[in-house]
Amino acid sequence: MKASRLAATGAIAGATVLVLSSPAFAHVTVSPEGTAAKGGYAVIDFKVPNERDDASTTKVEVNFPTDHPLASVMPQAIDGWSVKITKSTLDKPVELEGEKITQAVTKVTWTADGKGIAPGYFEKFPVSVGALPTNTDELTFKALQTYSNKEVVRWIEVQQKGQEEPDNPAPVLELSAADSSDGHGASGSDSDATASPASPAASTDDSGSTSSAAASADDSDTTARVLGVVGIVVGVAGLAYGVLAGRRRSNA
């Protein structure tokens, strides 16, 4: 009886946890492919799950922040979806990368050409964006999800510090610290890789260390060869001695 009660209690607790946590998996979210460093460029994915059992998701609208506008917004083409980019005039022009920006992308809309996102499935909508702002730690994208039954779910609620997560939170992109790249995805490793093939140039012996290492390697190789030959000679001599000793004993 105790075992059955414990099993039943565990099952109920597990079901409760699943019910309480399931909405978190149904949110429309945004995350970078790799990193989203301040001042750089990144590809970000808007993940849209279908949380209805009797309808498909047929349209996704993502509103881009106007307080931190992005000069470059390029959606990736997705089979079965058409995309529309909306630009708007900014209330206050901003300077990005030395240029004065008066217009920016304020919305990207994906519309399904067919059935869209079926129940039990999700879709990712990748977008290349940049340059990411340097004066904030996150970007908020308010999204609208439209179903085939005309229902619209508004993922527009902004998370407030110290409060519980809202029912329909807006997707938030966390920005990492600025790196030492040129801001277009190139890192210092590229220059290192370019410099590394300069091993032939290292033979110019600016400090003499390269030539010393090469000479040391040659000496080691010669010593190894000499020791190998000596070992072979000693081995053959020992074998011959053993054969002769055996013959002497048999003759005796």
Side-chain angles (χ1 to χ4, degrees):
M1 289 295 291
K2 289 183 178 181
S4 60
R5 288 179 181 176
L6 288 174
T9 302
I12 294 173
T16 302
V17 171
L18 181 61
V19 169
L20 292 177
S21 62
S22 59
F25 295 99
H27 295 170
V28 172
T29 58
V30 59
S31 59
E33 294 183 5
T35 59
K38 296 178 182 181
Y41 286 71
V43 175
I44 59 177
D45 293 332
F46 292 95
K47 183 179 179 181
V48 182
N50 191 338
E51 57 177 6
R52 297 293 182 264
D53 296 329
D54 55 354
S56 298
T57 296
T58 56
K59 185 164 68 172
V60 176
E61 302 170 73
V62 176
N63 292 280
F64 282 65
T66 55
D67 54 343
H68 298 289
L70 300 171
S72 176
V73 176
M74 294 185 293
Q76 178 177 310
I78 302 176
D79 291 339
W81 294 82
S82 59
V83 61
K84 177 183 177 181
I85 300 175
T86 302
K87 286 187 176 182
S88 302
T89 301
L90 300 175
D91 295 335
K92 183 179 179 180
V94 296
E95 188 171 325
L96 295 174
E97 297 185 334
E99 295 184 8
K100 198 172 185 179
I101 305 298
T102 58
Q103 282 191 334
V105 173
T106 54
K107 183 191 291 187
V108 177
T109 303
W110 291 270
T111 304
D113 297 330
K115 295 182 179 180
I117 308 173
Y121 290 86
F122 73 90
E123 184 69 80
K124 284 186 178 181
F125 299 88
V127 183
S128 174
V129 297
L132 296 171
T134 58
N135 57 349
T136 184
D137 295 327
E138 61 183 27
L139 292 176
T140 300
F141 301 84
K142 297 183 178 181
L144 276 65
Q145 181 178 9
T146 302
Y147 287 91
S148 55
N149 59 4
K150 306 305 179 183
E151 177 190 4
V152 178
V153 179
R154 301 177 182 275
W155 303 97
I156 61 174
E157 298 178 73
V158 179
Q159 174 71 51
Q160 302 297 327
K161 292 183 179 180
Q163 297 184 10
E164 294 183 358
E165 185 181 46
D167 293 334
N168 297 304
V172 176
L173 177 67
E174 301 290 340
L175 302 181
S176 60
D179 56 25
S180 58
S181 67
D182 60 3
H184 289 76
S187 63
S189 60
D190 291 338
S191 59
D192 294 341
T194 304
S196 61
S199 53
S203 63
T204 55
D205 192 22
D206 292 336
S207 62
S209 58
T210 303
S211 297
S212 299
S216 177
D218 292 340
D219 291 342
S220 299
D221 185 51
T222 302
T223 302
R225 291 179 181 178
V226 171
L227 291 176
V229 173
V230 171
I232 294 173
V233 172
V234 172
V236 172
L239 179 61
Y241 177 79
V243 172
L244 292 175
R247 288 181 178 178
R248 289 176 182 175
R249 289 177 184 175
S250 62
N251 292 334

